[in-house]
Amino acid sequence: MLARYIAQRIWQLIPVLILVSIAVFLIVRIIPGDPVLVMLGIDPEERVRISDEQYQVLQHQLGFDRPIYVQYFNWLSNIVQGDLGLSLRSRRPIFEIILERYPATIYLAITALLTGLAIAIPTGVIAAIRQNTKADYAAMGFALWGIAMPNFWLALMLIVLFSLKLGWLPSIGYASPLDDPFRFLQHACLPAIVMGTDLAAPLTRYIRAEMLEQLKQDYVRTAWAKGMPSRIVVVKHALKNSLIAAVTVVGLQTARLLGGSTIIETVFSWPGVGRLLIEGIYSRDYPIVQGSVLIIAVTYVFINLFVDIVYKWLDPRIKLE
């Protein structure tokens, strides 16, 4: 049953991915700049440095002299074969470049996810079981502050405080956790706090609201009446059912983290997919931008599929259709 459902969902995702690829292809073409001149490292004002014949030869080699729909189908056919094309600047395979950058994004996303969950779950639970107390007001104040606060502002403030003023943590750089775990945590601490806070803010509100709803249910009241320990009632019964609604928030936020938080990776010079996308936009490197956005979109789509499966695990009453 589960395998059949997954197969059906993947089949349904094909039209979505095709529409995403069309949108990515067309939007990238709107970016100002001439990819031929970008590949040559020539500014538009210096166009006279190459002849029209040379320009047309390069344009033909890159396929930019063909109709837009021909360019799209050629690009799509290459993608189906696992070829995302070559970078206009480095002339390296896009898939190889993304493969180099994606581990850094994954490591940061996992760290940020764990940070966000470590903040949101206890904060939301405490706010629910202590409703209308100072703890509840403080938790909701944190949630509203986290939702309203721009990520880049918090990132800059943390850099000023912990890097420039106190000198405790580095503001830029990266180290693989496989090579040096301690150095990785040093570099990942600030961006993980920023991204974890962004995840924890809405998640805290969801968990609090769902916990309040579950605590009013008859099965919880029965557990209290039987004299079961508070920890068992809250964690094993109320919290597990509360997580069903929170899974959606966690899933979407995780997809965004894995897709690459472009702003945070740029601020902290983190060598992930998000920063690669920004670099591709700045350099007018069409294949880099197309490949990065496509990978991010595919990540979103399959994380949503994973969330649906987790729903079934958390609540067997949910039918997979």
Side-chain angles (χ1 to χ4, degrees), residues 57-74:
V57 169
L58 288 173
Q59 194 177 41
H60 178 73
Q61 290 177 349
L62 295 174
F64 293 129
D65 60 338
R66 301 168 187 168
I68 191 74
Y69 65 89
V70 175
Q71 295 182 41
Y72 169 74
F73 283 113
N74 289 339

Side-chain angles (χ1 to χ4, degrees), residues 1 10 37 139 148 182 185 191 256 259 267 272 317:
M1 182 66 180
I10 292 177
L37 299 182
F182 179 73
L185 290 177
R256 190 178 69 173
V267 170
R317 295 172 299 176

Side-chain angles (χ1 to χ4, degrees), residues 61-264:
Q61 290 177 349
L62 295 174
F64 293 129
D65 60 338
R66 301 168 187 168
I68 191 74
Y69 65 89
V70 175
Q71 295 182 41
Y72 169 74
F73 283 113
N74 289 339
W75 176 65
L76 186 61
S77 64
N78 291 333
I79 289 178
V80 173
Q81 301 174 40
D83 181 12
L84 296 177
L86 298 176
S87 168
L88 296 181
R89 280 191 171 274
S90 65
R91 305 305 296 167
R92 293 179 58 202
I94 304 300
F95 186 78
E96 179 182 310
I97 297 174
I98 293 178
L99 200 61
E100 291 177 355
R101 297 291 193 102
Y102 211 64
T105 295
I106 292 176
Y107 297 144
L108 180 59
I110 293 174
T111 308
L113 177 63
L114 295 177
T115 302
L117 293 177
I119 296 172
I121 293 178
T123 303
V125 171
I126 292 173
I129 62 180
R130 298 184 180 179
Q131 185 182 14
N132 298 327
T133 64
K134 291 182 179 180
D136 184 19
Y137 297 145
M140 290 301 95
F142 159 76
L144 291 174
W145 171 76
I147 293 173
M149 176 190 54
N151 278 351
F152 70 88
W153 181 86
L154 178 59
L156 294 176
M157 293 303 101
L158 291 180
I159 289 174
V160 171
L161 177 60
F162 291 101
S163 297
L164 300 181
K165 297 292 184 181
L166 300 177
W168 291 354
L169 296 169
S171 60
I172 60 174
Y174 169 74
S176 172
L178 303 179
D179 299 331
D180 192 340
F182 179 73
R183 189 158 169 258
F184 166 78
L185 290 177
Q186 283 184 314
H187 286 286
C189 186
L190 294 183
I193 289 175
V194 175
M195 297 168 69
T197 301
D198 187 44
L199 166 65
L203 186 57
T204 298
R205 298 183 63 186
Y206 272 88
I207 292 178
R208 176 185 178 273
E210 286 300 313
M211 280 290 296
L212 289 174
E213 184 66 26
Q214 295 299 323
L215 290 173
K216 298 176 183 178
Q217 299 299 316
D218 292 338
Y219 74 93
V220 174
R221 293 175 180 173
T222 302
W224 289 118
K226 288 182 178 180
M228 295 182 64
S230 299
R231 179 176 59 85
I232 299 297
V233 175
V234 172
V235 176
K236 186 176 180 180
H237 296 288
L239 180 58
K240 182 180 179 180
N241 290 320
S242 299
L243 290 178
I244 295 177
V247 165
T248 301
V249 179
V250 175
L252 293 176
Q253 292 289 336
T254 302
R256 190 178 69 173
L257 296 178
L258 287 174
S261 181
T262 56
I263 296 177
I264 301 305

